[in-house]
Structure formats: structure tokens, C-alpha cells
Amino acid sequence: MTSQKCWICGSDATTGEHKTKRSDLSDVFGFVSQDEPLYFHDQKSKNRHLRSFKSKLLHSSARICSKCNNERTQPYDRAWEELSNKLRNHNPKLKPGSIVRANKIFSSNSKKRMLDAYLYFIKLFGCHIVESGALIDLEPFSKALLEGRFHPNVYIKFKCGALFAGAPRTGMSDLETVQITKSGRCIMALWHYYIDGLAVEVIYIEEGYEHPELKGVWHPRFGTGRFVIGAA
Ligand SMILES: [Zn+2]
């Protein structure tokens, strides 16, 4: 096996990040086994049996070292785990137009915890870039993760009501490059993360560009923990 480098810190890398968070999968599906598999669909194939949440099908091919995959990004994973859980179990149930306040979600340090949850999506975004080969500079992504700061050009948007085959959708879309220059540089790209019908849209757009898709986005630099749920 050829040695590969971690795209975040540059060390030797052996692991791949889970595409959909394991805690999110077990919250939604409970338990999978040899006898009770799930069915997995992606853009390459449909109805593949999934018999374990450790399955290769669920891992990104982008390499990350174990330090980055574990201790370095653990606060980010944990913050998303909590946010995901609270949004899905929100009372009253979230619908398009619902207003969420981070300080009602996180009992303390809500500003920092929202930034951490956002950084979880920066980690997945970097994996998407590596995997797809899209011409987007990875350096600001690794810098954000290493320094625990936001990426100036990545926005997120929360939506609800996403369906797949009539049931609440869970999983992750591929990276979609919305706008590319003649030389192939990507100006705008986006993808979605779905968990039981809750959708997080993650958007990269270069400085100085505008797009209607940016309506309703949240970014840590806005300095507010308030966001509005959109329609998926
Ligand atoms: Zn690393």
C-alpha cells in the first residue's frame, strides 16, 4: 500500500472519515447486522447491503491521520452530534420557517459549540474535495480545522423535510460544482448532508461572488446563533 498523507496536517494517514456520522446513523437506524442489513444507495449503485456501520461504503476515500480523525476533530464531531440530536428532536417539531437559537440548543458556550459543529462540515467538505478532485484550494480548510477558526468562504444552511423514496432521507450527496472558470477552478460548489429528513446544505463560494443559493445561510462571522430552517 502506498503511503498517503493526511490532507489536514500532512502526516502519514491511514484512516478515512465516515461520510455520515456513525452516531447519526445509529440514532436513525438503531442497529445493523449480517441478518438485518440496511440498503445503501449512491450515485454509482443501488441496493447494496450494508451490514455494519464500519462498512467501507460509508467511508470517504480521502485520507486523514488518526490524530486528525480522533482527538483533533473530536470537539467538532461532538458539537454536531448534539446539534443534530437536538434539531431532530426539537419541540415543537421543526418545519420550514422555524427559528432556532443556538443558546437554546447548547446549555453553555453556544457560540463556540456552533463554530465547532460548523467545523465538522469543514472536515467533510475537505474530504469531498480530495475525493472529487475539484479545483478548490484545500489550504483554508486544513487551516480552519488546525486553528479552530471558520473558513471565510464556506456557509451552511439548515433545512427540513428531505425525502428519499417517500421516507425521511439520510445520507450525503456528492459534491456539486455549480460554477467553474474556463481553467477549471471551482468558484462555487455545494453538497448536502441528510439525517432523518433534516438537511444541512454546505456551500463554498469564492470571495466577491453572489448566488441566490446564499439566501438563508449561516456563517460564524455573522455573530448570531439564530438561524431559520429552510425547506428541503
Ligand atoms: Zn492529520
Side-chain angles (χ1 to χ4, degrees), residues 32-118:
V32 286
S33 68
Q34 294 295 322
D35 300 330
E36 294 177 72
L38 289 173
Y39 294 93
F40 178 85
H41 316 279
D42 63 13
Q43 296 186 338
K44 293 179 201 109
S45 58
K46 300 264 175 278
N47 287 317
R48 288 158 86 182
H49 278 148
L50 182 68
R51 297 180 197 278
S52 158
F53 291 140
K54 290 182 181 162
S55 168
K56 276 193 175 152
L57 291 173
L58 296 175
H59 282 85
S60 166
S61 63
R63 298 290 93 180
I64 297 184
C65 74
S66 58
K67 179 170 183 188
C68 285
N69 208 4
N70 299 310
E71 60 176 279
R72 192 178 323 267
T73 57
Q74 206 172 59
Y76 313 156
D77 294 17
R78 292 266 162 81
W80 166 244
E81 215 171 293
E82 187 171 351
L83 180 58
S84 157
N85 192 285
K86 301 260 176 79
L87 292 177
R88 284 181 288 113
N89 298 300
H90 200 270
N91 189 10
K93 201 170 160 38
L94 294 179
K95 51 183 198 301
S98 298
I99 291 168
V100 175
R101 288 185 174 81
N103 59 7
K104 299 261 165 62
I105 300 272
F106 297 111
S107 52
S108 62
N109 240 341
S110 63
K111 207 171 164 185
K112 167 79 167 61
R113 301 297 307 285
M114 272 303 286
L115 172 64
D116 282 352
Y118 163 94

Side-chain angles (χ1 to χ4, degrees), residues 6 8-11 65 68:
C6 169
I8 299 173
C9 73
S11 306
C65 74
C68 285

Side-chain angles (χ1 to χ4, degrees), residues 3-232:
S3 92
Q4 286 180 303
K5 299 295 180 200
C6 169
W7 70 261
I8 299 173
C9 73
S11 306
D12 288 337
T14 50
T15 60
E17 172 65 17
H18 250 98
K19 287 182 168 176
T20 305
K21 208 162 178 347
R22 200 166 156 187
S23 59
D24 278 340
L25 292 173
S26 46
D27 274 4
V28 176
F29 298 114
F31 173 76
V32 286
S33 68
Q34 294 295 322
D35 300 330
E36 294 177 72
L38 289 173
Y39 294 93
F40 178 85
H41 316 279
D42 63 13
Q43 296 186 338
K44 293 179 201 109
S45 58
K46 300 264 175 278
N47 287 317
R48 288 158 86 182
H49 278 148
L50 182 68
R51 297 180 197 278
S52 158
F53 291 140
K54 290 182 181 162
S55 168
K56 276 193 175 152
L57 291 173
L58 296 175
H59 282 85
S60 166
S61 63
R63 298 290 93 180
I64 297 184
C65 74
S66 58
K67 179 170 183 188
C68 285
N69 208 4
N70 299 310
E71 60 176 279
R72 192 178 323 267
T73 57
Q74 206 172 59
Y76 313 156
D77 294 17
R78 292 266 162 81
W80 166 244
E81 215 171 293
E82 187 171 351
L83 180 58
S84 157
N85 192 285
K86 301 260 176 79
L87 292 177
R88 284 181 288 113
N89 298 300
H90 200 270
N91 189 10
K93 201 170 160 38
L94 294 179
K95 51 183 198 301
S98 298
I99 291 168
V100 175
R101 288 185 174 81
N103 59 7
K104 299 261 165 62
I105 300 272
F106 297 111
S107 52
S108 62
N109 240 341
S110 63
K111 207 171 164 185
K112 167 79 167 61
R113 301 297 307 285
M114 272 303 286
L115 172 64
D116 282 352
Y118 163 94
L119 287 168
Y120 171 69
F121 292 99
I122 295 295
K123 170 165 71 163
L124 291 188
F125 208 137
C127 293
H128 268 303
I129 294 170
V130 174
E131 204 170 38
S132 67
L135 290 185
I136 299 173
D137 186 7
L138 263 177
E139 210 238 300
F141 288 83
S142 66
K143 195 165 176 250
L145 296 169
L146 293 170
E147 296 178 359
R149 299 162 65 95
F150 61 72
H151 185 306
N153 312 104
V154 176
Y155 300 83
I156 56 177
K157 195 148 115 178
F158 297 92
K159 303 191 270 192
C160 68
L163 299 178
F164 180 78
R169 181 167 189 166
T170 292
M172 192 153 82
S173 75
D174 284 342
L175 183 77
E176 183 192 334
T177 52
V178 180
Q179 204 182 341
I180 328 184
T181 64
K182 277 189 186 133
S183 63
R185 194 182 84 237
C186 185
I187 287 170
M188 180 176 175
L190 58 86
W191 54 277
H192 285 86
Y193 183 103
Y194 300 101
I195 176 74
D196 205 18
L198 171 73
V200 183
E201 181 178 0
V202 193
I203 305 168
Y204 165 84
I205 186 158
E206 269 191 12
E207 208 72 53
Y209 289 87
E210 278 295 329
H211 194 279
E213 200 57 29
L214 289 175
K215 189 171 181 286
V217 291
W218 181 84
H219 191 283
R221 78 160 169 266
F222 296 166
T224 173
R226 178 188 181 277
F227 54 89
V228 183
I229 304 292

